[in-house]
């Protein structure tokens, strides 16, 4: 396989774009990432990285570094939010790699460190994309432009690349919001309660997922799912409050009341999704992650799907060489569509691990052990 001299441009240095960048570089491709944010910042949120992702991070020597900074829960507990009864105790070990919960910013920082300095260009908000057949012209809000042989749209749910391929269409508001808060573990010491490593508290129509985000266990994080009729605010999120949380979780278990009492700062995020897209690529442009199959975050696998996409896309480009990107994109979609759609469907239904089930189909998955599918061949 020859990687060729093609320049690959990735739009977006989120978790999916950064994974694609590092994996492409590792495989010898010439890659540049364009990110709209002015600089890297440590956003206040946590994230799960399951064994299915850690197997990918092994490729770029990032798995051990991630384990070192993460909390590594042995179980995912599901509990009744009102009574505290255990609904399931799901082992998180035995799937071929470690299960991590971590601060998103710390994870992003590790991802940035796996790439050659200068790979990511910040302050580059893509405004125009033109595939002229022989290459792609990119224009950015700061007035600069670039050319690339292939463009990977890893630019999230409001993807400009998706819009170029399929036209402008707002994502669907799911009718739910997620509250997010990072709590200092110091503030929990005064309670005579146990704060478990990874637990989802389920109510009849809402939930709260809670876990540590560092190996030192000094940060405890919660993210909720709460019905909310319409999203009437501008922007990605708005400020919420302890009072709003108390109202949303009145009558819930004492551990939840303690978490709300210990909350200094809490934000509220609308949860959006999209119906499966009719196509994942066109010409020299291809989509991955939330640009392609956004989902409600209730399986904690949205970013994992973006990173699995990145790994499979790079595998396909290695298989065909970047000059035959059309074949690579076709194999990539054939190999990823069913998996991403299945996770998207279960995630949107918000049933995952509520009862004692086997999560091997999610965590045991190894993208490198999967066949590359060619659906045009009978
Ligand atoms: P993004 O992370 O959205 O990254 C897109 C990047 O593209 C951004 O950096 C953005 O600035 C950049 N960009 C956008 N437009 C442009 C442009 N025009 N030009 C240049 N750059 C651009 N997933 C999990 O796996 N586990 C969890 O625990 C989890 N919790 C969640 C909680 C909440 C409340 C929400 C809302 C989501 C959660 N998710 C979780 C989902 C997860 O955040 C997404 O699935 C994941 O971030 C998708 O990664 P991505 O790289 O595709 O897109």
């Amino acid at each position: 396989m020859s990687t060729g001299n093609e320049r690959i441009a990735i739009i977006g240095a989120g978790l999916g774009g950064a994974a694609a960048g590092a994996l492409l570089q590792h495989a010898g491709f010439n890659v540049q990432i364009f990110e709209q944010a002015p600089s890297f910042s440590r956003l206040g949120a946590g994230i799960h990285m399951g064994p299915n992702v850690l197997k990918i991070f092994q490729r770029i020597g990032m798995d051990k570094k991630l384990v070192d900074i993460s909390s590594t829960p042995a179980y995912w507990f599901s509990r009744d939010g009102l009574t505290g009864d255990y609904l399931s105790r799901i082992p998180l070990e035995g799937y071929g790699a470690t299960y991590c919960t971590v601060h998103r910013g710390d994870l992003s920082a590790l991802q940035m460190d796996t790439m050659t300095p200068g790979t990511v260009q910040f302050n580059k908000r893509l405004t125009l994309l033109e595939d002229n057949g022989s290459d792609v012209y990119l224009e950015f809000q700061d007035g600069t432009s670039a050319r690339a042989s292939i463009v990977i749209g890893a630019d999230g749910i409001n993807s400009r690349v998706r819009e170029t391929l399929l036209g402008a269409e707002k994502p669907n508001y799911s009718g739910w919001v997620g509250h997010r808060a990072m709590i200092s573990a110091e503030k929990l010491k005064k309670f005579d309660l146990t704060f478990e490593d990874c637990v989802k508290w389920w109510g009849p129509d809402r939930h709260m997922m809670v876990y540590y985000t560092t190996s030192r266990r000094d940060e405890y994080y919660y993210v909720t799912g709460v019905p909310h009729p319409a999203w009437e605010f501008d922007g990605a999120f708005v400020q919420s409050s302890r009072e709003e949380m108390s109202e949303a979780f009145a009558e819930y278990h004492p551990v939840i009341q303690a978490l709300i009492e210990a909350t200094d700062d809490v934000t509220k995020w609308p949860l959006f999704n999209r119906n499966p897209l009719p196509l994942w690529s066109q010409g020299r442009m291809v989509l991955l992650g939330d640009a392609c199959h956004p989902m409600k975050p209730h399986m904690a696998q949205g970013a994992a799907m973006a990173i699995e996409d990145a790994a499979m896309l790079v595998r396909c480009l290695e298989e065909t060489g970047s000059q035959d990107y059309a074949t690579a994109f076709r194999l990539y979609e054939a190999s990823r569509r069913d998996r991403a759609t299945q996770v998207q469907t279960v995630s949107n239904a918000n049933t995952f691990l509520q009862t004692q089930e086997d999560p091997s189909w999610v965590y045991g998955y190894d993208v490198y052990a999967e066949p590359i599918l060619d659906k045009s061949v009978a």
Side-chain angles (χ1 to χ4, degrees):
M1 190 276 311
S2 144
T3 54
N5 293 320
E6 287 77 11
R7 286 187 314 281
I8 302 180
I10 299 174
I11 310 303
L15 299 174
L23 289 162
L24 281 166
Q25 228 164 43
H26 183 75
F29 290 96
N30 176 4
V31 60
Q32 189 79 60
I33 306 186
F34 299 99
E35 166 59 44
Q36 66 181 1
S39 61
F40 173 75
S41 66
R42 189 178 189 263
L43 295 171
I47 194 146
H48 300 239
M49 287 283 106
N52 47 324
V53 179
L54 271 280
K55 287 169 206 163
I56 297 169
F57 287 158
Q58 276 168 15
R59 282 277 151 136
I60 43 177
M62 214 186 102
D63 56 321
K64 290 192 179 63
K65 292 178 191 162
L66 180 60
V67 171
D68 282 349
I69 62 166
S70 301
S71 173
T72 54
Y75 287 89
W76 166 312
F77 295 127
S78 278
R79 297 183 66 177
D80 185 303
L82 298 163
T83 64
D85 291 346
Y86 284 83
L87 307 173
S88 69
R89 293 178 171 87
I90 309 291
L92 295 177
E93 291 164 350
Y95 307 103
T98 310
Y99 194 105
C100 296
T101 58
V102 67
H103 195 291
R104 251 172 203 261
D106 295 343
L107 170 63
S108 278
L110 271 189
Q111 283 192 304
M112 295 295 148
D113 285 350
T114 59
M115 289 181 276
T116 313
T119 304
V120 182
Q121 290 191 29
F122 289 98
N123 221 358
K124 295 286 175 196
R125 180 180 175 76
L126 181 76
T127 50
L128 179 74
L129 196 59
E130 274 172 4
D131 181 349
N132 56 36
S134 51
D135 70 358
V136 186
Y137 172 73
L138 304 111
E139 213 168 80
F140 303 100
Q141 200 167 37
D142 66 355
T144 58
S145 62
R147 289 188 175 279
S149 322
I150 295 172
V151 174
I152 300 175
D155 46 347
I157 189 159
N158 293 307
S159 167
R160 187 74 185 80
V161 182
R162 190 211 65 84
E163 195 178 306
T164 307
L165 262 52
L166 289 160
E169 191 182 351
K170 281 192 183 324
N172 308 321
Y173 175 58
S174 67
W176 287 47
V177 294
H179 302 89
R180 287 166 145 172
M182 195 66 77
I183 297 171
S184 158
E186 195 61 35
K187 296 193 82 168
L188 299 174
K189 285 188 178 155
K190 68 174 181 179
F191 300 102
D192 186 20
L193 293 165
T194 303
F195 297 97
E196 290 161 318
D197 284 1
C198 178
V199 53
K200 186 164 176 176
W201 298 88
W202 299 75
D205 68 344
R206 61 198 59 206
H207 66 260
M208 182 185 276
M209 178 88 229
V210 199
Y211 52 90
Y212 288 97
T213 58
T214 64
S215 55
R216 300 182 303 277
R217 297 154 64 90
D218 55 356
E219 284 178 345
Y220 205 45
Y221 169 74
Y222 66 73
V223 55
T224 74
V226 173
H228 184 91
W231 184 253
E232 63 273 21
F233 310 103
D234 285 336
F237 68 93
V238 294
Q239 200 61 35
S240 181
S241 66
R242 205 182 291 148
E243 292 68 31
E244 189 180 332
M245 289 299 298
S246 294
E247 203 177 309
F249 288 92
E251 315 294 328
Y252 275 69
H253 192 270
V255 167
I256 294 184
Q257 302 311 325
L259 294 177
I260 295 172
E261 194 186 322
T263 299
D264 284 329
D265 185 54
V266 53
T267 50
K268 185 166 67 173
W269 301 66
L271 304 182
F272 290 104
N273 50 39
R274 287 187 191 277
N275 300 328
L277 302 188
L279 53 85
W280 286 24
S281 70
Q282 202 169 58
R284 295 173 173 271
M285 298 179 283
V286 63
L287 301 172
L288 65 74
D290 274 13
C292 196
H293 43 67
M295 58 190 82
K296 283 165 78 186
H298 307 324
M299 271 175 83
Q301 282 286 323
M305 289 308 106
I307 295 166
E308 286 185 7
D309 283 351
M312 183 55 88
L313 178 57
V314 175
R315 265 188 80 189
C316 293
L317 283 165
E318 282 187 287
E319 183 84 10
T320 63
S322 52
Q323 278 171 348
D324 191 7
Y325 57 85
T327 304
F329 293 173
R330 183 167 53 75
L331 298 176
Y332 157 66
E333 180 175 344
S335 306
R336 287 296 301 159
R337 184 180 273 276
D338 287 355
R339 163 96 172 155
T341 305
Q342 190 184 8
V343 170
Q344 192 181 26
T345 306
V346 176
S347 206
N348 288 342
N350 190 24
T351 51
F352 187 59
L353 307 188
Q354 185 173 17
T355 54
Q356 197 65 35
E357 63 178 284
D358 180 0
S360 298
W361 68 277
V362 182
Y363 304 145
Y365 183 91
D366 178 352
V367 73
Y368 296 110
E370 291 294 312
I372 293 179
L373 299 179
D374 185 349
K375 293 211 169 150
S376 68
V377 178

